[in-house]
Amino acid sequence: MAQFALVIDLNTCVGCHACATNCKEWNTQAAFGPLSDFDPYGREPHGVWYNRIMTYETGEFPNTQVFHLPKSCLHCQDAPCVPVCPTGASYKREQDGIVLVNYDDCIGCKLCSWSCPYGCREFDEADKVMKKCTLCIDRIYDETLPPEHRKPACVLTCPAKARFFGDIEDPNSEVYKVIKERNGFVLFPDMGTNPANHYLPRTETKVHIDEHILKPDNPLFLEVIQKHYKGG
């Protein structure tokens, strides 16, 4: 059985929020919108976002690193949000494994969000229903779009090409191959939810400034480094 999913390269993601922004713009006017906003230009803006970027700093100064973790519904193969729904509004499609919410049946009880160990469900205070990433199901099956555009909005807009989309059960798919080749992993595997979305691990790369940044045709950096070597 097919299982559509996202694969996110943590080594490439720069935390620019382009994926979250394009996701919001597409989905607020699409089949599963709107995505409500409250006080968007005020002191405490909040609302519904299918995709959120979490940024963390690790280590101790001066040996610190910053990394970004994009997070949305993981479309778990054993999704705990589905069996707890008292009305059946939360369900998993057999044909592609995408987890969706039927707004007409949702009563806003929030049981699904409580059962999600990843905190990936968003309660819309305006519509009083639970909302979440749909993998842009209204795009990926839209035959009026060119084939190369039948991807989630977040994948299409990523300037760093850090996001992949496809069937992780298909050995011939790009996502299947990149997971195998680059040791893709899932969040909280011990929870038994079998998330479909995968992440590609970060790798450390040492860059020697003299070799890669300071060039004869870059007098600004050369001037700075010369002052540094001379003690200011």
Side-chain angles (χ1 to χ4, degrees), residues 79-84 110-118 121 191 193:
C81 57
V82 172
V84 300
K110 302 182 182 179
L111 284 175
C112 59
S113 64
W114 294 339
S115 69
C116 174
Y118 309 102
R121 293 213 160 200
M191 299 300 295
T193 60

Side-chain angles (χ1 to χ4, degrees), residues 162-176:
R163 303 174 75 92
F164 306 86
F165 168 74
D167 180 4
I168 62 171
E169 297 295 339
D170 179 5
N172 296 316
S173 70
E174 180 183 25
V175 288
Y176 180 95

Side-chain angles (χ1 to χ4, degrees), residues 23-143:
C23 167
K24 180 89 167 183
E25 181 175 359
W26 170 261
N27 284 289
T28 200
Q29 51 81 39
F32 287 84
L35 307 187
S36 299
D37 277 316
F38 300 94
D39 197 22
Y41 304 106
R43 295 178 63 86
E44 297 183 2
H46 61 284
V48 176
W49 292 79
Y50 287 174
N51 184 21
R52 294 182 181 270
I53 314 302
M54 322 301 289
T55 298
Y56 302 94
E57 183 176 303
T58 62
E60 295 183 1
F61 182 83
N63 300 312
T64 59
Q65 295 184 18
V66 172
F67 76 95
H68 311 284
L69 179 70
K71 189 178 70 169
S72 58
C73 173
L74 303 175
H75 299 278
C76 301
Q77 299 186 64
D78 295 301
C81 57
V82 172
V84 300
C85 180
T87 65
S90 185
Y91 65 100
K92 187 174 180 66
R93 288 162 50 100
E94 293 186 0
Q95 60 268 48
D96 50 29
I98 297 176
V99 177
L100 296 176
V101 177
N102 184 338
Y103 298 160
D104 291 334
D105 293 335
C106 179
I107 59 176
C109 66
K110 302 182 182 179
L111 284 175
C112 59
S113 64
W114 294 339
S115 69
C116 174
Y118 309 102
C120 291
R121 293 213 160 200
E122 302 268 328
F123 185 72
D124 193 321
E125 295 290 349
D127 293 340
K128 303 300 181 185
V129 295
M130 195 64 66
K131 298 182 178 181
K132 56 176 289 302
C133 166
T134 67
L135 288 180
C136 290
I137 194 171
D138 49 342
R139 284 192 64 93
I140 62 178
Y141 288 112
D142 187 350
E143 296 184 355

Side-chain angles (χ1 to χ4, degrees), residues 178-196:
V178 76
I179 290 172
K180 297 296 183 182
E181 293 171 359
R182 297 184 54 191
N183 299 316
F185 66 94
V186 298
L187 298 181
F188 302 160
D190 55 316
M191 299 300 295
T193 60
N194 295 319

Side-chain angles (χ1 to χ4, degrees), residues 3 5 60-61 79 83 89 140 143 152-153 155-157 165 205 209 211:
Q3 175 61 66
E60 295 183 1
F61 182 83
I140 62 178
E143 296 184 355
V155 175
L156 291 171
T157 199
F165 168 74
T205 302
I209 295 179
E211 297 177 5

